[in-house]
């Protein structure tokens, strides 16, 4: 049991270190992709197809959802670059 717990602790440590290295290695490319206008528009369009705001035109909804996606990608960038 004691050996099992030690093995798990070592494995958790290795996985955590690997995760950190992967995030560090790919963070810039991921952020660039998330922050691209093309990606933001694509995500906003998919949200717009799923959500209808009564009495608001599709064009205005699209602008609204693009702003929301922009806000969320800024938050994600802050978390990843932390």
């Amino acid at each position: 049991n004691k050996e099992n717990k030690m093995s798990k602790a070592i494995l958790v440590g290795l996985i955590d270190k690997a995760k950190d290295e992967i995030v560090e290695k790919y963070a810039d490319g991921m952020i660039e992709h998330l922050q691209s206008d093309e990606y933001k528009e694509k995500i906003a369009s998919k949200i717009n197809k799923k959500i209808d705001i009564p009495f608001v035109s599709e064009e205005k909804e699209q602008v609204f959802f693009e702003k929301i996606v922009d806000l969320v990608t800024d938050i994600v960038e802050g978390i990843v670059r932390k």
Side-chain angles (χ1 to χ4, degrees):
N1 242 350
K2 198 173 192 179
E3 287 179 16
N4 212 4
K5 286 181 182 180
M6 285 177 48
S7 295
K8 285 181 182 179
I10 291 170
L11 185 58
V12 167
L14 289 172
I15 291 170
D16 198 43
K17 184 178 179 184
K19 173 196 61 88
D20 290 344
E21 288 178 13
I22 290 167
V23 168
E24 189 175 313
K25 183 175 181 179
Y26 294 105
D28 289 337
M30 183 180 77
I31 295 301
E32 276 184 36
H33 181 68
L34 286 174
Q35 292 286 16
S36 72
D37 291 339
E38 181 182 325
Y39 184 77
K40 287 187 217 179
E41 185 178 336
K42 183 186 273 188
I43 294 297
S45 294
K46 290 189 181 274
I47 294 169
N48 196 3
K49 286 180 184 176
K50 298 279 186 182
I51 298 174
D52 181 52
I53 302 172
F55 310 110
V56 177
S57 71
E58 287 300 310
E59 293 80 19
K60 287 182 180 177
E61 285 180 357
Q62 183 67 23
V63 169
F64 172 75
F65 291 127
E66 285 178 16
K67 289 180 190 254
I68 295 296
V69 169
D70 189 43
L71 175 68
V72 170
T73 57
D74 286 347
I75 292 168
V76 169
E77 178 181 13
I79 292 169
V80 170
R81 295 197 190 272
K82 192 175 182 183

